[in-house]
Structure formats: structure tokens, C-alpha cells
Amino acid sequence: MPARVVARTPLLYSDGADPTLDRPGHVRAGSALVAWKDHLAVVQDDACFLAVIDRRSRRVRDVPFPGEVRQFDDARGNKKSKLDLEAAFITDHDKLLVALGSGSSPLRERFVLIEEPASEAPRVMLFDAPAFYGLLRSHRELSGSELNIEGAVVHGDDLVLFQRGNGAPGADGTKPVNATARIALASLLAYVREGSPLPPLHDVIEWKLPRGLTFTDGAVAPDGGLAFLACAEDCPDATQDGPVSEVAFGRLDEGKRTFTVEPIIDEDGEPLLDKAEGLAWDPADKKRLFVVTDRDDAATPSDLLELRLS
């Protein structure tokens, strides 16, 4: 199902910048996207804000996370301290949004839980999850040479995790892999809320995507199947950025271990080359998708792209 960009909106906070919150005037780095009801939510890998978008008006407001420093980059010398939130999902009847760190370093092994994300005063909590990320790393068929979780979607009773295979090869010859894995969602939430034992992973599958493509997010299609977003990015490892040579949309068939993948076409009919890191279906239109981009430039707003399926 080829997808074409039909609209593009720079993500600017409606209230502008606020130095007292260490908030810039725009969404810096869209790394995950969630759609529910009349809202979209953008998670950022280098800024401690959730951006909540009204889908009708495109008004963008911020939900700040705890702390005084909320922007992280090389210019500030604090990039290694960022949460690196790269995946997000919504659960509990659309009342809880959970963002996940990539796990690409020990500082990135956290969850952020946001209760009532569309309300005027959401409750935000940070949860350290080293046991969860240790479980993921123990499955080398999932983590490969470098763990880098880039997508998480609720599918049935499970949370499906998308591992991005853009890491550097390991000293022992281990290679980076694109993979998916499932974990029981109710048991995972019990681990977070009550300290219950972690459930096991199951259905761990490696996906050999073509042309250097690596997963950057996942979504559930209107027919109940799994879809994914992928980019081919020339980066040295899972923590650094590089130029993008292709952006693609595809579908997975876990039972048959097969997939389809098509390049995304931009507004000019050319292949899209903006690094796309968040994917969400419009709940009201099965042929409309939303994608959020990461410019890898703190001074440049991320874009919200609207895509149509042919």
C-alpha cells in the first residue's frame, strides 16, 4: 500500500517558548507518535515534554516532565543524560500513555507514565526499569549487538516491541538486528505498578528488511494487522545520527514471517527523505496515517506529516 504525503505541519507550541520550563518554542525531535480519539501525542528523544496535538485545530500544547533541565544536546554538553524516549503506547481505556526509553544505554532504561494525557493537568511519573531492559538484552535474537527499542504497540493482549537494527557490530561478531517481540501487557503493567515479576518475552522474530531499512516505529492497522515505519540511515551506532537514504511503510505477517514494504512518497512525488520516527493511524479514517519527523537539529521544528494510502 504505497503511502503519499498530502500535508505537512511544523510542530510549534501554541504558547511559544518558556525559559522558566526550559521549553523551546517547538517540538525538537519527534521520536514516537500515538493517536487516540481527537488527539495525537508526540514523544521526543531529547526533550522532557510530551506534545499533545488537537487533530482538528492542530493546536500543540506541552506536558512537562519532572526536573529543571528539559533539553539535551551536544551544544549543552548533556546529550548522554537524555531519556531517549523512542516508543510510546496508550492503554487503560485511553487514560494512560506510556513512553519507553530506547535502552541504548543505562540512562535510557526508563518509562514515563502520563495519566490522562489529554487533560489540563496530567500526572507524570518516571519509572526506572533496568530489569525490563535486562530481559530484552538477554534475548540476543531481539537485541543483537545493540539494544534500541523504537516502537511499542498494543496488539491484542500483548505489547509488541520493535527493535531497530542500526547498531554497531559487537566485538564478538554479533550483528545488529531488526526484530519484534511480544510481552503480556497486563503483566508488564503489574511489574510497573506493583513490582510484580516480569512476564517472559514470546514470539521473538528477526526481520531482514531490504536496502538498509531499520524499524523506527510500529502501528496497528484498521484490519488488525501490524504495520511499521522504517528508515535507512547511515549512522555509526544506535546513539548517533546520519543521513537518510530512504523512508518506508510496511506490513508484517508474524505467522508467515513475511512482510511488504514500500517507499513513502513526498508532496512532490519524490521519495521522502525526512527521518520519520513516529507512526499512527487516524482512528476515523483507515486510509489516513500520521507520521512525525526528527530533523536532528534542535533549532528546527519537527513536522507532522499526513499520509494517504492509495
Side-chain angles (χ1 to χ4, degrees):
M1 297 187 295
R4 179 185 289 271
V5 177
V6 296
R8 181 185 297 262
T9 304
L11 293 176
L12 307 176
Y13 290 120
S14 300
D15 293 334
D18 187 341
T20 65
L21 293 174
D22 195 24
R23 186 188 71 211
H26 58 270
V27 176
R28 289 171 39 128
S31 58
L33 185 64
V34 177
W36 80 103
K37 297 182 180 178
D38 295 327
H39 304 283
L40 293 165
V42 179
V43 170
Q44 303 171 70
D45 63 11
D46 66 358
C48 288
F49 297 94
L50 181 75
V52 179
I53 306 167
D54 185 300
R55 284 198 295 114
R56 296 174 180 174
S57 67
R58 291 294 194 268
R59 181 178 183 272
V60 184
R61 64 180 183 83
D62 68 290
V63 177
F65 301 167
E68 296 181 358
V69 177
R70 295 190 172 95
Q71 298 183 66
F72 302 86
D73 51 49
D74 288 328
R76 290 188 172 202
N78 63 355
K79 182 177 178 179
K80 291 184 178 180
S81 299
K82 70 177 185 176
L83 294 177
D84 201 39
L85 302 174
E86 294 283 359
F89 63 94
I90 196 160
T91 185
D92 281 3
H93 306 288
D94 297 337
K95 295 181 179 179
L96 176 67
L97 188 145
V98 182
L100 283 67
S102 65
S104 59
S105 79
L107 291 173
R108 300 170 179 182
E109 297 181 348
R110 296 178 184 177
F111 295 177
V112 178
L113 290 83
I114 305 171
E115 294 181 350
E116 302 287 356
S119 69
E120 291 300 318
R123 183 185 177 198
V124 182
M125 297 158 286
L126 272 64
F127 175 75
D128 291 324
F132 171 76
Y133 290 95
L135 172 65
L136 302 188
R137 285 196 186 86
S138 71
H139 288 262
R140 298 302 293 273
E141 70 274 29
L142 171 70
S143 61
S145 57
E146 284 190 289
L147 184 66
N148 190 16
I149 299 301
E150 291 268 341
V153 298
V154 177
H155 194 234
D157 294 331
D158 294 328
L159 185 70
V160 180
L161 302 168
F162 287 76
Q163 154 73 12
R164 186 180 184 192
N166 67 330
D172 60 356
T174 308
K175 296 181 179 180
V177 297
N178 290 294
T180 55
R182 288 177 171 264
I183 190 167
L185 177 59
S187 298
L188 177 62
L189 293 177
Y191 155 74
V192 174
R193 290 167 168 162
E194 304 160 16
S196 300
L198 275 167
L201 296 184
H202 62 96
D203 293 310
V204 181
I205 304 171
E206 179 181 353
W207 301 93
K208 296 185 181 297
L209 302 183
R211 303 185 296 277
L213 290 166
T214 54
F215 289 137
T216 57
D217 206 2
V220 176
D223 63 7
L226 286 176
F228 66 88
L229 189 65
C231 288
E233 183 181 11
D234 186 11
C235 47
D237 57 40
T239 66
Q240 300 183 64
D241 304 313
V244 172
S245 59
E246 184 177 346
V247 181
F249 167 78
R251 297 288 299 267
L252 301 177
D253 186 323
E254 293 173 290
K256 296 179 180 178
R257 304 294 202 267
T258 60
F259 62 85
T260 60
V261 62
E262 292 281 352
I264 296 175
I265 305 304
D266 69 13
E267 303 96 316
D268 300 321
E270 300 294 330
L272 181 70
L273 294 179
D274 296 307
K275 185 163 71 170
E277 294 204 16
L279 174 69
W281 233 283
D282 183 344
D285 187 341
K286 65 182 180 180
K287 288 193 174 183
R288 181 161 74 162
L289 302 171
F290 296 104
V291 164
V292 67
T293 67
D294 181 354
R295 295 285 190 175
D296 291 332
D297 179 358
T300 305
S302 295
D303 287 333
L304 179 68
L305 307 181
E306 180 184 330
L307 276 60
R308 296 295 299 182
L309 297 175
S310 63

